[in-house]
Amino acid sequence: MAQTSRRQEARKIASLGLAAWVLLLPIALVSLGIWQTQRAAETLEHARRSSAELSTTLAQVKNIAASDPTAILTFQGAGEPTSLAALVAVSQIEAALSQADEELEISQIRRPLVWGTIGGAVLAFFGGALGLMAAGISGIRARASQRQLIASFQRLRSLLPFILATVVIGFSIGVISATLFEAVSMGLWADFTTGSAKLFAVAVVLAVIAAYSAFMALRGLKDVFALFTPEPLVAAGHVIEETEAPELWRFVRSLAGRQHALLPDTIIVGLGQGFFATESQLRLWPEDRLVTGRSLYLPAAYLDLLDQAEIAAIIGHELAHFSGEDTTYSQQFTPIYAGLWRALAALGRAVLYPAVKLGFHAMQRFDHAVAHWSRLREFDADRSGSLLATPADAASALIRTGIIAPAVAYVLQRASAGPDDTGSDDAWPDLVAQTTELVTTNGWSDPMPLLGDRQPHPTDSHPPTIQRISALGVEIGDDLLRRAMRQPEPGARSFADDLFSDWAGLCRLLSKDFIDDARMMRDRRREVLEKVVAGASQETVVYDNVKPMIWTMVIVAMIFAGFGLTVVFLSGQLGLGYDEFAQSLIAAITAVGAVTSLLYAAFLYRSAARPLMVLTPDALLASRLDKPVAWTDVAGYAVYASSRFALRLWLNQDAPVPKKHWRAIDSKIDRRQRIITLGALGIKGMKAADFSALVGRYHEAAYARQELAAAMLHPSRDASADETAGKY
C-alpha cells in the first residue's frame, strides 16, 4: 500500500510538473507579453506627444531667435523654471527632439515584438494543450482493444511531430520576441551607460542562442519521421533449411496445422537465450544475412534439455503470435513504437524541454495499454501452446527454461573468456554439450527465486513466470517441480537429435561462431587496452604553479613598504603631525607585512623546485602524502579549479589510506569517506582540464594493465564438476 501511495504521489508530481512546463509557462509568457503591451503603448504615446510638443516649441523658439538671438526665455520643466538664451534654447530643444524621435522609432520597433511574445506563447499553449488532449484520448482508446491500440498509436505518431513542432516554434518565437523587446527597451533608459550596453549585448546573445536552439530543434524534429523506420533486430545463428532438418520442419508444420497458425518462413537456431518469433527484419551474424518475413528462433541449448512435449508447448506459443492481431501488432506497432522511443531519446538534447516532456508524456500514456495487451497476448499464446501438449507440460517448460538460462549464461561467459588454443575444426568445443554436461553433473539452480523473472525476448516484455503458470491453471507443486528439474540421462539422445540430420555438427558450428566472435572481441579489447597502457608508460613530474603567487607577494610587500615610507616621510600631510608613536606603530606593521610577504615569496620560490606530484604508471606520488597511492586503489577522481585548485581521489574500500604531512594545510584526508584531497596553487604549464585528462590517462592505463595481466595469467578452464559446482 505504501509503495502504491508513493507511486501515485510521484505520478501527481510528474503531472503537475508537466502542466507547469506545457501550460503554465506559456500562460506566464502571455502575461509578460500583456505587460510589455502596456509598456509599449505608454512609451509610444509619450514619445509621440513629446515629439509633437518639442516640434511646436522648436518652431516658436526659432522664430524668436531669428528676431532677437539674445532674448532670454524661461522654460517650465519638471523641476524649477530654467532661463536660457534663445540660440542656446534652439540647440538644446533640437537635441531633445532628436532624442524624442529616437525614442519614437524604438517604440515603433518594439510594438510588433509584443505580438510575437503573445502569439508565440499562445501557439505553444495550444500546441501543448492539443498534445495533452491527444495523448489522453489515445491512451484511453488504446485500452479498448489491441486493434484500437494500433490505430490510436498510428494517429498519435502522425500528429506528434507536428504538435512538438508547434510547441517548439511557439516557445521560440515568444522567448526571442520577449528578449529582443527588453533588449531594445534599454535604448530608452535615460542613463544608458557601459553597463547598460553590456546588458544589451547579453540580451541579443540570448536571443541568438534561442534562435539557434529553435533551428536545431526543428531540424531534429524533421528527423523524427526517419527515425520511425524500424531497424532490423540483430541475432546470432544459422538459418535451418528443410533439407538440413526435415523432421524439425515436419514437427513445426504439424504444430502450426493443429492450431491453425501460419507457418514460419524461416527457422533459425542459435546460442541465444530464449525462444522468440518475429515478423520484423532480422540481421543474422556471422553471415550478415538479412532475414525477412516470419522468423522462428530456437536456442540450441534449450532444445537439448527440453523434451518433445515442452518443445511443442513453447513452439506452439511462438506460432500463436503469427495468427490474428498479433501479426499486425508485431509488424505495424512494436518496431515503430520502439523506434519512436529512440527518436524522442535522440531529440532530448535538441528540442526545447517542454516539447520533450510532452513527447515522453504522450508515449507514457501508451505504456500501460502496451503492457496490458502484451500480458494478454502472452497468456493467450501460453494457452494456445498448452493445447498442443498439456497445461502441465507448458508450465514445466516455463520453469525449465528459467533454470536453463543461468547454466547457458555461465557456459557462454566461460567460453567468452576462454583461452585461444583451438587449432583445428576438431578442437572446437561443443558449448551445447557442455551446458548439458554441466547440469547433468551439478544439477539445477533453485527454481523458486526465478519464478518472478520474465522470459527474455528481443522486442516484447513477458509477464513474470509465476503469473503465466497461474494463468494456465497449474499449481506449482512437487510433481511439477520434479518434472521441470529432472536430470538429463547420461548418454541418452535428446529430442533435438531426432529433429536435425547432424545435431552435434550444428552445435559445434554454432559454438565455433560464438568463440570466433568472442576471440575477435577479445582481440579488439586487447588492442584498446594496449593503446591505453602505451599512453601512460612513462612517469610525469608536475610542479606547483607558484609563480603568480610569488609575484603577488612581491607586489603586496611593495605596497606595504610604500605605505610605510609614505607614513614616515609624509606624516604631516597625512595628519599624524609629530606623533612618533603612531609613526613607529604603522612603520612596524607595514614592515612586518612586507617582510612576511617576502618570506612567503621566498618559501614558494624554494618549493618551486620540488615536484608537487609524480605520476608513474603504477602510482601517484604526492609531496603532501607519506606514501604513494596506487592507481588501482583509486575508484574515481576529480579536479577542481573554481575557488581553489585541488585533486580529489576516492579510494576503493580495501585500499590503504595514506597520511598527509602536517605542513600540507591545503590538503585533507577523510578516512571515513576514504577521500584524499590534494590542494595546490595550480599546475605549472598546464590548465585544469589538461591535468584532469593526464590523471585520467594514468588511472585508465593502470586498470588496463591490470586487466591485461589477468588475461595473460588466466588459467585454462574446462567443464569439470569441481570447478563449476554452485557457480551458476
Side-chain angles (χ1 to χ4, degrees):
M1 291 292 291
Q3 187 175 2
T4 303
S5 177
R6 284 196 297 270
R7 211 173 282 159
Q8 292 176 347
E9 188 69 24
R11 285 201 202 99
K12 288 180 181 178
I13 294 174
S15 299
L16 290 174
L18 178 67
W21 279 105
V22 177
L23 299 179
L24 297 184
L25 189 58
I27 291 174
L29 201 56
V30 168
S31 302
L32 175 61
I34 294 173
W35 181 50
Q36 289 178 338
T37 302
Q38 295 173 349
R39 291 162 56 199
E42 292 172 358
T43 305
L44 181 61
E45 178 61 28
H46 178 267
R48 284 174 176 169
R49 186 170 58 252
S50 297
S51 179
E53 291 175 353
L54 288 171
S55 296
T56 302
T57 303
L58 179 61
Q60 294 174 351
V61 172
K62 279 185 175 181
N63 291 332
I64 296 173
S67 59
D68 185 5
T70 60
I72 301 300
L73 304 178
T74 301
F75 297 91
Q76 180 64 47
E80 296 294 328
T82 303
S83 298
L84 297 172
L87 286 176
V88 175
V90 167
S91 63
Q92 291 192 4
I93 294 172
E94 286 178 343
L97 180 60
S98 176
Q99 183 177 351
D101 290 340
E102 183 179 344
E103 291 180 358
L104 179 60
E105 185 177 353
I106 292 175
S107 300
Q108 290 172 341
I109 292 173
R110 290 199 314 168
R111 195 161 192 178
L113 294 175
V114 168
W115 300 113
T117 302
I118 296 175
V122 170
L123 186 64
F125 177 85
F126 280 109
L130 178 61
L132 292 175
M133 185 172 62
I137 294 173
S138 298
I140 293 172
R141 288 181 175 177
R143 300 183 185 184
S145 69
Q146 193 170 214
R147 183 169 298 175
Q148 189 60 249
L149 167 66
I150 297 171
S152 297
F153 179 74
Q154 294 283 17
R155 284 193 294 268
L156 181 66
R157 83 180 185 93
S158 299
L159 284 174
L160 191 58
F162 298 102
I163 292 173
L164 296 183
T166 301
V167 174
V168 169
I169 293 172
F171 268 113
S172 301
I173 293 175
V175 170
I176 292 171
S177 298
T179 306
L180 290 178
F181 179 92
E182 299 301 334
V184 172
S185 299
M186 294 179 189
L188 301 176
W189 295 2
D191 54 345
F192 192 78
T193 61
T194 303
S196 305
K198 291 179 180 178
L199 288 176
F200 177 81
V202 169
V204 172
V205 169
L206 289 176
V208 171
I209 292 174
Y212 176 76
S213 300
F215 169 75
M216 295 300 294
L218 292 175
R219 191 174 73 171
L221 278 171
K222 182 191 68 173
D223 296 335
V224 169
F225 295 100
L227 288 169
F228 280 148
T229 304
E231 296 180 0
L233 303 175
V234 179
H238 283 268
V239 174
I240 304 301
E241 304 294 345
E242 190 161 358
T243 55
E244 300 175 73
E247 290 300 322
L248 171 65
W249 277 93
R250 188 178 298 114
F251 181 64
V252 173
R253 190 175 288 111
S254 171
L255 297 177
R258 288 169 58 188
Q259 64 182 157
H260 306 290
L262 295 173
L263 191 69
D265 299 311
T266 308
I267 297 179
I268 303 163
V269 176
L271 292 181
Q273 299 186 50
F275 296 80
F276 68 87
T278 183
E279 295 190 62
S280 301
Q281 290 184 337
L282 195 64
R283 186 170 296 281
L284 288 181
W285 63 267
E287 301 156 338
D288 194 22
R289 176 177 176 178
L290 188 64
V291 178
T292 58
R294 296 182 297 275
S295 300
L296 175 64
Y297 186 93
L298 307 176
Y302 290 69
L303 292 177
D304 206 47
L305 290 167
L306 296 167
D307 62 22
Q308 180 176 350
E310 291 167 336
I311 293 175
I314 293 174
I315 293 180
H317 169 103
E318 301 302 338
L319 294 179
H321 290 310
F322 290 147
S323 61
E325 294 181 353
D326 278 6
T327 299
T328 306
Y329 186 91
S330 61
Q331 282 183 328
Q332 300 181 12
F333 178 76
T334 304
I336 299 176
Y337 185 70
L340 185 53
W341 269 112
R342 290 194 302 271
L344 287 173
L347 291 171
R349 296 180 180 179
V351 183
L352 295 177
Y353 189 64
V356 176
K357 292 273 290 184
L358 180 60
F360 279 114
H361 169 75
M363 292 298 294
Q364 288 165 355
R365 296 293 294 174
F366 275 90
D367 275 351
H368 296 297
V370 170
H372 171 72
W373 293 114
S374 180
R375 285 165 55 87
L376 293 184
R377 289 172 64 245
E378 294 305 320
F379 290 150
D380 289 342
D382 283 339
R383 282 191 291 270
S384 180
S386 69
L387 296 177
L388 301 178
T390 66
D393 292 327
S396 174
L398 287 170
I399 296 175
R400 196 166 177 84
T401 52
I403 59 178
I404 289 173
V408 173
Y410 176 75
V411 170
L412 296 184
Q413 184 178 4
R414 285 180 51 221
S416 296
D420 302 330
D421 57 359
T422 52
S424 66
D425 289 345
D426 294 336
W428 290 105
D430 183 345
L431 300 180
V432 176
Q434 284 188 11
T435 305
T436 301
E437 182 182 351
L438 176 67
V439 297
T440 301
T441 305
N442 295 337
W444 298 101
S445 302
D446 183 6
M448 299 310 293
L450 303 176
L451 294 179
D453 293 346
R454 303 171 188 267
Q455 297 288 345
H457 193 281
T459 57
D460 290 339
S461 61
H462 291 75
T465 300
I466 192 170
Q467 293 183 13
R468 297 173 67 181
I469 295 175
S470 177
L472 289 169
V474 178
E475 182 181 352
I476 302 176
D478 293 338
D479 292 339
L480 177 62
L481 293 176
R482 192 179 302 111
R483 166 156 167 62
M485 297 181 66
R486 66 189 181 278
Q487 293 290 100
E489 297 181 10
R493 286 172 56 87
S494 66
F495 181 60
D497 284 295
D498 299 329
L499 296 177
F500 295 85
S501 300
D502 185 8
W503 173 243
L506 174 62
C507 292
R508 283 195 299 273
L509 177 62
L510 296 173
S511 301
K512 178 181 181 299
D513 291 340
F514 181 85
I515 294 172
D516 276 343
D517 182 70
R519 176 185 298 176
M520 181 179 65
M521 296 301 293
R522 288 200 305 273
D523 290 343
R524 290 179 180 175
R525 176 67 177 170
R526 186 181 299 112
E527 290 175 3
V528 172
L529 293 176
E530 290 173 349
K531 186 176 180 180
V532 171
V533 170
S537 58
Q538 304 293 327
E539 71 175 29
T540 301
V541 181
V542 296
Y543 296 88
D544 205 349
N545 189 25
V546 299
K547 188 175 181 180
M549 183 57 71
I550 290 175
W551 280 109
T552 301
M553 290 298 100
V554 170
I555 293 172
V556 170
M558 292 173 64
I559 292 173
F560 272 119
F563 182 73
L565 292 173
T566 300
V567 169
V568 171
F569 293 103
L570 299 175
S571 58
Q573 290 82 342
L574 294 175
L576 297 176
Y578 296 98
D579 190 344
E580 295 183 358
F581 175 77
Q583 294 178 21
S584 301
L585 180 63
I586 294 174
I589 293 174
T590 54
V592 169
V595 171
T596 302
S597 300
L598 290 174
L599 287 175
Y600 184 54
F603 169 77
L604 292 177
Y605 181 77
R606 291 185 60 188
S607 67
R610 296 194 304 269
L612 176 67
M613 301 176 195
V614 179
L615 286 73
T616 72
D618 297 319
L620 170 69
L621 288 76
S623 60
R624 270 74 164 162
L625 303 177
D626 66 338
K627 58 184 176 182
V629 178
W631 291 116
T632 51
D633 287 340
V634 177
Y637 76 94
V639 174
Y640 300 93
S642 53
S643 57
R644 67 187 184 94
F645 191 94
L647 169 63
R648 182 165 293 175
L649 305 174
W650 285 266
L651 300 182
N652 294 318
Q653 287 299 320
D654 56 347
V657 181
K659 297 179 181 179
K660 75 179 184 71
H661 295 306
W662 63 271
R663 290 180 299 178
I665 58 175
D666 56 352
S667 299
K668 180 182 178 183
I669 303 291
D670 187 337
R671 295 188 172 276
R672 189 169 62 87
Q673 298 291 333
R674 309 182 71 79
I675 299 174
I676 300 173
T677 303
L678 300 174
L681 296 174
I683 303 299
K684 184 178 180 181
M686 197 177 297
K687 294 181 179 179
D690 298 330
F691 178 66
S692 179
L694 177 67
V695 174
R697 285 199 298 273
Y698 278 90
H699 186 234
E700 292 175 6
Y703 277 98
R705 190 179 300 105
Q706 185 182 62
E707 185 175 338
L708 286 172
M712 293 294 292
L713 298 175
H714 200 287
S716 177
R717 300 178 179 179
D718 56 36
S720 64
D722 291 340
E723 192 174 20
T724 57
K727 291 186 179 179
Y728 67 92

